[in-house]
Amino acid sequence: MNNKLYGNLIFELSQPGRKGYSLPKNRFGDYKVPADMQRKEAAQLPECDEMTVVRHYTNLSANNFGVDNGFYPLGSCTMKYNPKINEEMAALPQFAALHPLQPAETTRGAEAVCTLLCKALCELTGLHAFTLKPFAGAHGELTGLMIIRKYHESRGDMQRRLVVVPDSAHGTNPASAAVCGLEIVEVKSLADGTVDVEALRELIATVGGENIAAMMMTNPNTLGLFERQIPAIEKLIHGVGGLMYYDGANLNPMLGAARPGDMGFDVMHINLHKTFSTPHGGGGPGAGPVGVRKGLEPFFPMVSPYHGNFAVVMRAYAYILSLGREHVKEVGPLATLNANYIKESLKDVYELPIDGLCKHEFVFDGLKDKSTGVTTMDVAKRLLDYGYHAPTIYFPLLFHESLMIEPTENESKETIDGFIGVMRQIAEEAKTNPDLVKSAPHNTPIGRVDDVLAAKHPIVTYRQMSNE
Ligand SMILES: *Cc1c(COP(=O)(O)O)cnc(C)c1O
């Protein structure tokens, strides 16, 4: 907002000789930096008074949108609000200041946190043992597949190189299988968005069951749908000697409702940063612990030194403890209720390609009325004008105008009603004043950017306004 007045860069506000600091008295006498280490000319640093610096950075920070400012319905990400207490626990110097090479007898507390978190994860998932080493969800997938590969090799089953992946899977699933040196075979989904069991049966017959290493499933899947055919699928895969892998990135709505271990899965990963509290905007750090059923733990590989991203582990443990055994069970049902409430309240104006009960998130295929020419991109941009973060758009790739909404369990009914009201308002504007929506955003520091131009002619340097 004040950017025009105050300049985009602190350098543009610089005035020669202006100072906003004072240094303490020189206590070193007339010591001089050796001549060969001295600069030939003065460093090009901004010279500003204190208030200019304070206002510049405060105004910049106010241009940022975060969950502490407003509702953030980004799909496929889950944890958006990360309770502050978890940050405080992770920052405790007794944990944060540990060195990984300290003698083991001085790090017993951190070890206990790891052991206790693994125990809690076993209880929540119904699996037997966990390793905390993987650094992310995708790293967990790779770790899990390495375990599966070693298991088959330990039995002399060298030919098992195929991994069955549904067409709705997150892109990391086939990528991890490929990195692990395995081959991917895709199984189709039904029109209702879940895995087609008959297609799986045919696929197994075609490729030969004795070649199947594993099947990877995400549940609820990337459309937010519970895979109801897991018992039949598990029977088919186990029947030919393959193992079942559970991509647990969407574990949030399962908390307290159902456990992958009880569904017959052998190996899974959990995205601690998605289900158990760690801010992950900007891409990390995260943690992707891997759990296995009894008998597979000897195959845990060494995928990182020490205990992975320990601060993420600390946050997860603090989060689980602060909810406690009884309240952790409310997470899944509340997230599911909030998502279904939004879906049902908007499905008369937004296209719902797959109807029925969803879990923690769901996907619209743009506005219902396609005659206005208003796209998902336009709706997302217009939401910014109303002070909402946009949902995930154009993912999953199954639909042309995907708009993926995930409210999470911690939002109040009033907040959710406010969002529903604005989404309806935008649908109305699309009819009465489509140009208003197509040219949005209007109230943000930067208006509609030209993505095509940005991709074709990227300008990655900034030309400074001259103040001379
Ligand atoms: C996010 C996600 C992943 C990958 O997790 P990262 O931590 O980003 O590597 C895998 N599968 C699904 C379903 C996801 O949503």
Side-chain angles (χ1 to χ4, degrees), residues 76 136-138 141 170 172-173 218 222 247 249-250 269 271 273-274:
S76 198
E141 291 168 26
H170 195 273
T172 51
N173 287 189
T218 307
T222 53
D247 177 333
N250 292 343
H269 82 266
N271 296 47
H273 46 292
K274 286 182 182 174

Side-chain angles (χ1 to χ4, degrees), residues 89-337:
M89 294 302 109
L92 285 175
Q94 293 90 330
F95 294 108
L98 290 178
H99 191 282
L101 294 178
Q102 257 175 253
E105 64 273 18
T106 66
T107 61
R108 296 287 186 231
E111 253 175 58
V113 167
C114 293
T115 308
L116 290 167
L117 177 65
C118 286
K119 211 172 145 211
L121 295 181
C122 286
E123 199 172 317
L124 284 163
T125 59
L127 287 168
H128 175 71
F130 265 85
T131 168
L132 301 176
K133 287 183 181 296
F135 286 132
H139 199 199
E141 291 168 26
L142 175 62
T143 306
L145 291 168
M146 287 165 81
I147 292 167
I148 290 171
R149 204 179 139 162
K150 264 206 217 154
Y151 162 79
H152 289 309
E153 287 175 359
S154 76
R155 295 158 44 94
D157 240 355
M158 302 304 192
Q159 82 292 349
R160 289 191 185 270
R161 308 300 270 193
L162 302 181
V163 178
V164 183
V165 179
D167 59 5
S168 64
H170 195 273
T172 51
N173 287 189
S176 301
V179 171
C180 193
L182 300 168
E183 283 167 50
I184 299 105
V185 281
E186 193 177 87
V187 61
K188 296 262 168 290
S189 295
L190 292 165
D192 74 359
T194 59
V195 171
D196 184 339
V197 180
E198 279 321 303
L200 178 64
R201 199 188 307 275
E202 282 167 30
L203 182 75
I204 293 172
T206 311
V207 301
E210 71 285 2
N211 297 317
I212 291 179
M215 170 151 183
M216 298 180 86
M217 285 189 80
T218 307
N219 188 40
N221 66 24
T222 53
L223 293 167
L225 303 169
F226 190 89
E227 292 280 0
R228 283 186 302 275
Q229 295 297 330
I230 287 172
I233 294 170
E234 174 261 325
K235 243 197 210 118
L236 281 177
I237 296 294
H238 281 150
V240 296
L243 295 187
M244 290 292 287
Y245 184 91
Y246 190 100
D247 177 333
N250 292 343
L251 192 66
N252 162 279
M254 296 291 103
L255 289 181
R259 306 193 308 171
D262 301 337
M263 298 175 198
F265 284 91
D266 305 290
V267 183
M268 78 175 292
H269 82 266
I270 296 174
N271 296 47
L272 290 187
H273 46 292
K274 286 182 182 174
T275 308
F276 295 110
S277 183
T278 273
H280 57 290
V290 169
V292 295
R293 72 164 165 75
K294 200 171 165 69
L296 288 174
E297 67 277 17
F299 302 110
F300 278 154
M302 187 70 179
V303 293
S304 74
Y306 320 115
H307 291 291
N309 276 331
F310 180 71
V312 180
V313 166
M314 268 306 290
R315 289 183 183 92
Y317 190 55
Y319 179 61
I320 290 172
L321 279 194
S322 63
L323 287 175
R325 185 173 264 118
E326 52 182 315
H327 297 298
V328 86
K329 293 186 175 142
E330 290 167 20
V331 169
L334 277 176
T336 302
L337 176 65

Side-chain angles (χ1 to χ4, degrees), residues 24-102:
K25 277 211 171 64
N26 179 1
R27 291 186 289 111
F28 301 100
D30 50 10
Y31 176 80
K32 286 237 163 23
V33 176
D36 61 333
M37 294 176 79
Q38 281 182 28
R39 286 178 184 280
K40 300 285 173 287
E41 37 193 278
Q44 300 280 303
L45 296 175
E47 299 175 89
C48 298
D49 58 280
E50 185 168 341
M51 278 321 298
T52 298
V53 174
V54 169
R55 287 183 186 139
H56 175 72
Y57 286 110
T58 306
N59 288 330
L60 273 188
S61 77
N63 287 342
N64 216 352
F65 186 95
V67 76
D68 291 355
N69 308 82
F71 185 51
Y72 201 120
L74 200 67
S76 198
C77 287
T78 313
M79 288 302 295
K80 288 167 277 261
Y81 175 64
N82 297 281
K84 309 293 181 265
I85 181 79
N86 305 334
E87 296 302 314
E88 282 177 36
M89 294 302 109
L92 285 175
Q94 293 90 330
F95 294 108
L98 290 178
H99 191 282
L101 294 178
Q102 257 175 253

